[in-house]
Amino acid sequence: MQIAKPFYAMMEKISPFAVALTLLAGTGNAEDAKITIGTGGKTGVYFRAGEALCDLSDQTATGLRCRAKSSGGSFDNLVKLRSNSINLAIARSDWVAQAVNGIGRFNGAGPDKDLRSLYSLHAEPLNIIARRDSGIRSLDDLKGKRVNFGSWDAPLVQRLLRAKGWESSDFAKVVPATTKKQGKLLCAGEFDAIIYTVGFPSLSIFELTKSCPVRFVDAGDPAINRLVKSSDELSRATIPGGMYRGVDDPVETFGYRASVVTRADIPDAVVYEFVKSTMQDTSKLRSYHPAWHALHPRKMTQDGLVAPLHPGAAKYYRERGWIK
């Protein structure tokens, strides 16, 4: 999809984003229910998202009072959600998968069987960026090149490598680098390509595309399609043409999604009212944040959702014909 106006032409005037989300409900209906949304740091996208959702809820929901609360991010939100400190949270889909299955950092706590999904938001995918003079045009062209994966041990990087059957010996050079240094090293000619997991639009990638000519590498090949289909927390994502300088055509990639989750014991009426207030006008929802420009209700009710749908959310989606 080509966005109407090149995003990079507007980025000079856009500051870094922030996003948050949490829900506290005291009664079985939506009257006077307090919603506190666990989000992230105040300079991050999650905090801004929480504020946007609360704004929509306060404008249209009956009796709901919503507040976005800053936090330490996905893991912190899921811990607080489980302990009833909050009742709504924004969390990345891979963290939700860990909580649902009781693995990773949730191994000691065990599976969270009370976790429920409302909907997903923006994508947080792999961005595969190559120098224009590198000769890299497809995913398979990365083999034999100098590639900086950021953190080689990052779960999403490892899943990419396993899906393609790649090992470190398949590349001419693999040296970890912090996100802040990746762009500088690419433009300095230290690497042919970098792989960076971040939502779009990204201010750091925007700055990179101003520094040297680059090409975004499409990751829409059969091995990746099989990987995405085999995992609930993964979904496809499309970086639109015009999003960044020099990127004229849409680029297919994959990764995680930010998702809104709650607990099974939050009353159906409260969840229904909140979901209705934030989802009934998706064009308005998209206008709140550049990262949400491509939100579509059918994808929001399916992509990146690991925990079961909350009955209150499912009721509204059935009414709209988005699910059966």
Side-chain angles (χ1 to χ4, degrees):
M1 179 183 68
Q2 183 83 18
I3 55 180
K5 183 178 180 180
F7 180 79
Y8 61 80
M10 303 181 289
M11 279 293 287
E12 302 285 2
K13 299 181 180 179
I14 297 178
S15 61
F17 322 112
V19 180
L21 187 63
T22 323
L23 168 65
L24 292 174
T27 64
N29 55 48
E31 292 298 325
D32 299 320
K34 296 179 181 179
I35 299 175
T36 304
I37 302 175
T39 58
K42 289 189 175 181
T43 60
V45 179
Y46 281 17
F47 184 76
R48 175 68 181 277
E51 289 189 319
L53 294 174
C54 280
D55 187 41
L56 283 170
S57 176
D58 289 345
Q59 286 182 39
T60 58
T62 303
L64 289 183
R65 291 175 292 167
C66 185
R67 179 172 68 100
K69 185 177 181 181
S70 63
S71 74
S74 296
F75 175 73
D76 185 32
N77 291 338
L78 292 167
V79 170
K80 290 178 178 176
L81 189 63
R82 189 165 186 167
S83 67
N84 297 331
S85 298
I86 60 176
N87 352 40
L88 234 69
I90 295 178
R92 205 170 68 180
S93 55
D94 59 321
W95 285 104
V96 176
Q98 288 187 42
V100 166
N101 294 299
I103 59 176
R105 293 186 67 182
F106 297 94
N107 184 54
D112 188 348
K113 297 181 179 180
D114 293 324
L115 201 57
R116 295 293 182 269
S117 295
L118 299 190
Y119 46 72
S120 61
L121 294 170
H122 54 279
E124 298 186 21
L126 281 182
N127 294 259
I128 306 170
I129 308 171
R131 290 175 56 92
R132 278 202 171 267
D133 59 5
S134 67
I136 298 172
R137 294 181 174 275
S138 70
L139 204 56
D140 287 335
D141 290 337
L142 293 174
K143 288 189 68 174
K145 299 293 186 178
R146 301 168 301 162
V147 183
N148 185 283
F149 290 86
S151 174
W152 179 265
D153 294 329
L156 195 53
V157 168
Q158 286 297 307
R159 297 181 82 161
L160 166 66
L161 296 170
R162 287 196 297 269
K164 297 296 294 182
W166 291 341
E167 298 180 357
S168 59
S169 58
D170 289 311
F171 305 96
K173 180 180 179 181
V174 177
V175 179
T178 63
T179 298
K180 292 182 179 179
K181 292 183 178 180
Q182 280 183 295
K184 291 181 179 179
L185 292 172
L186 181 70
C187 288
E190 292 292 320
F191 292 95
D192 300 306
I194 62 172
I195 294 182
Y196 181 22
T197 303
V198 68
F200 52 84
S202 162
L203 191 60
S204 60
I205 292 181
F206 167 71
E207 294 296 334
L208 164 61
T209 61
K210 290 198 305 181
S211 300
C212 62
V214 299
R215 173 181 292 112
F216 280 63
V217 180
D218 195 282
D221 78 356
I224 300 304
N225 291 336
R226 289 192 295 270
L227 172 64
V228 171
K229 288 181 180 180
S230 69
S231 177
D232 289 338
E233 67 263 32
L234 296 179
S235 59
R236 305 293 319 191
T238 302
I239 302 173
M243 178 65 71
Y244 299 112
R245 190 180 304 276
V247 183
D248 299 324
D249 300 317
V251 178
E252 292 297 316
T253 184
F254 75 103
Y256 305 125
R257 284 191 177 271
S259 60
V260 182
V261 293
T262 187
R263 298 193 311 272
D265 63 348
I266 302 301
D268 292 1
V270 173
V271 171
Y272 175 90
E273 192 65 33
F274 177 80
V275 169
K276 179 181 178 181
S277 67
T278 54
M279 291 281 284
Q280 62 184 345
D281 186 352
T282 50
S283 63
K284 189 171 184 179
L285 180 64
R286 289 193 292 268
S287 71
Y288 270 80
H289 197 287
W292 294 357
H293 76 279
L295 290 184
H296 187 281
R298 290 190 185 276
K299 288 185 174 293
M300 293 171 70
T301 59
Q302 297 177 28
D303 289 355
L305 298 187
V306 180
L309 273 177
H310 190 287
K315 177 184 177 182
Y316 180 69
Y317 300 153
R318 282 194 292 269
E319 289 178 356
R320 294 298 301 270
W322 296 337
I323 65 172
K324 295 182 179 180

